[in-house]
Amino acid sequence: MQSLEAFIDQSQDKREVKRAIAVKMLFSGYNHEEIMAILGVSSGFISKWKKAFFQSGVEGLKLAHKGSLGLLNTIQRSEIIEWLQSKSQWTINELEYHIATKYEVTFESKQSYYDLFNEARISWKKSQANNPKYDSELVEVKKKEICDLLSVRRDEIDSGELVIFMVDECHLLWGDVCGYIWGKTNERVSIPVVNTRDKQTYFGGLDYKTKEFLTYPAQKGNSENTIKFLEYLRSAESSSASLSQRPGAKLLIIWDGASYHRSQQIKDYLDSLNNGLEREECLISCERFAPNAPQQNPVEDIWLQGKRLIREFYFFCHSFCVVKALFELSVHCQIFDFDKLHESGVFS
């Protein structure tokens, strides 16, 4: 250890010093994770220089030491590509460690590791949430139930006596403006965001017949604002083409099972409104999509298109007021493709 300490004191090259310190910390009882965090190096870096020290002493840590070729040959690259393709999960630290321990090679530039990932057809991408409670069979059952219901009540829909809305809520955050965008490789893209948690809630209803989309801003999603939105849909203020053509039409609301859709307050509101009427005669009746299946509701796609627009035009979003205005422009001007809104099965 004395020779290692002396080497650290005497070396004039910071790269040699970093190698020696990593080895010394390893001998002092630090684990890889701790050394990586302190020195900003990879696990492969630590393993490589530990091995070099064991084999050649401090000479193995010097820049001029010829311990290995430092490059991968064609066969080795092919082996690494095959190894990468055999895996289902990847980290760059694991790749560095694998190459350093098996081939005694550590690249100076991260780009060399990225090139190997690219050659193996493995790309950097954003992960997506997948609800393990999603039940594909139940989704198919609900699709059929909804389609059957629409078929049974087709005459009422065509005549305008029954107006159907697919309903959902969106909680827009100022921070939603941040996402994947094009930018110069060597520059960060900075977007002015005073408070990422600034929020605007929207209730949205998609008219099944006219494909018209109505929104209602609210402070938050709860039973009270849900009732206000339902009243808005019933009123002339909504400017719904279907309702303006036939005021007083019955409404069928198809939405998810959010707690405030199922609350006692909503039940009491519907009971007082419908006042004991048969289901087919109710002024407002409700159906639910399958649980844990937001993709079944086409309104989800409309919200996503709106958020995609604000990310695309992030350079306009210098305030949350602008963010909201762009978002509302997207959904109100129908900047979305209805041909893609078939996942629920009700538009096919």
Side-chain angles (χ1 to χ4, degrees), residues 201-268:
T201 294
Y202 294 97
F203 286 78
L206 178 62
D207 189 318
Y208 167 70
K209 181 181 178 182
T210 67
K211 308 301 186 290
E212 183 183 6
F213 189 60
L214 305 178
T215 60
Y216 179 84
Q219 288 189 340
K220 59 182 178 179
N222 58 20
S223 297
E224 180 180 353
N225 286 325
T226 300
I227 292 172
K228 290 180 180 178
F229 176 59
L230 294 176
E231 285 294 308
Y232 171 72
L233 291 180
R234 296 183 66 221
S235 71
E237 296 176 7
S238 68
S239 300
S240 165
S242 296
L243 293 175
S244 63
Q245 292 170 7
R246 195 175 186 85
K250 297 172 290 186
L251 301 185
L252 171 58
I253 305 298
I254 307 179
W255 54 12
D256 61 30
S259 59
Y260 47 85
H261 294 168
R262 299 177 284 109
S263 69
Q264 189 60 49
Q265 190 174 352
I266 293 295
K267 293 176 182 177
D268 291 343

Side-chain angles (χ1 to χ4, degrees), residues 86-114:
S86 69
K87 296 170 59 61
S88 58
Q89 298 173 335
W90 305 267
T91 68
I92 193 167
N93 283 335
E94 183 187 27
L95 176 59
E96 289 179 291
Y97 179 78
H98 177 75
I99 295 175
T101 54
K102 186 170 183 178
Y103 303 103
E104 299 184 20
V105 172
T106 300
F107 296 121
E108 292 295 328
S109 171
K110 293 284 188 184
Q111 186 60 49
S112 299
Y113 299 103
Y114 299 150

Side-chain angles (χ1 to χ4, degrees), residues 127-145:
S127 59
Q128 296 181 338
N130 178 33
N131 193 333
K133 295 182 179 180
Y134 175 82
D135 186 335
S136 59
E137 292 184 2
L138 182 55
V139 169
E140 290 302 317
V141 170
K142 291 301 295 185
K143 280 184 181 181
K144 186 176 186 307
E145 287 181 3

Side-chain angles (χ1 to χ4, degrees), residues 122-192:
I122 297 166
S123 59
W124 178 257
K125 59 183 66 179
K126 186 177 181 179
S127 59
Q128 296 181 338
N130 178 33
N131 193 333
K133 295 182 179 180
Y134 175 82
D135 186 335
S136 59
E137 292 184 2
L138 182 55
V139 169
E140 290 302 317
V141 170
K142 291 301 295 185
K143 280 184 181 181
K144 186 176 186 307
E145 287 181 3
I146 293 172
C147 289
D148 289 346
L149 175 62
L150 298 180
S151 178
V152 168
R153 307 194 70 174
R154 175 63 60 187
D155 290 343
E156 293 177 88
I157 297 171
D158 291 341
S159 67
E161 295 178 26
L162 177 66
V163 178
I164 297 176
F165 285 104
M166 314 291 168
V167 168
D168 191 46
E169 299 79 39
C170 173
H171 308 289
L172 179 69
L173 301 175
W174 195 348
D176 287 335
V177 72
C178 299
Y180 289 117
I181 58 174
W182 293 107
K184 293 183 178 179
T185 303
N186 59 343
E187 294 181 8
R188 286 189 175 184
V189 178
S190 178
I191 303 173

